[in-house]
Amino acid sequence: KNTSAENGSTIKVSAKANGHGLKYTWYMCHPGEDKFVQASATGANYYFTMSEERDGRQMYCVITDMFNNSVQTDTVTLTMSK
């Protein structure tokens, strides 16, 4: 779900799925851009510190199981609390 956090606080974005051999590939779109790029996180949880540069960032995760079945999460938007 979309989330809001204060500048400097830690944000945790999570993706949950059931299955075997799950791999998580996170994608993000920086504010003011229209292209999603692959992030470095590879786990079910993605932690980072909220900043003005991340205000408006969009994210989603693609979860792939050991049989190469995949599902994409909803896209969420992160905003900085004012």
Side-chain angles (χ1 to χ4, degrees):
K1 66 181 183 174
N2 294 336
T3 190
S4 180
E6 293 182 11
N7 191 16
S9 64
T10 300
I11 291 181
K12 173 183 158 185
V13 180
S14 299
K16 295 182 183 180
N18 294 318
H20 299 286
L22 299 178
K23 295 191 300 186
Y24 299 84
T25 306
W26 290 91
Y27 295 88
M28 66 180 124
C29 182
H30 299 289
E33 297 182 10
D34 59 0
K35 182 179 179 185
F36 281 83
V37 295
Q38 187 173 338
S40 60
T42 58
N45 299 312
Y46 189 156
Y47 297 91
F48 57 90
T49 302
M50 188 61 180
S51 66
E52 288 184 27
E53 294 81 25
R54 293 183 173 123
D55 186 22
R57 173 182 281 180
Q58 294 181 303
M59 300 180 70
Y60 68 87
C61 184
V62 174
I63 306 164
T64 307
D65 70 11
M66 63 189 275
F67 304 107
N68 214 27
N69 298 308
S70 63
V71 63
Q72 180 178 319
T73 66
D74 291 336
T75 300
V76 297
T77 301
L78 312 174
T79 56
M80 191 166 58
S81 302
K82 306 296 181 201

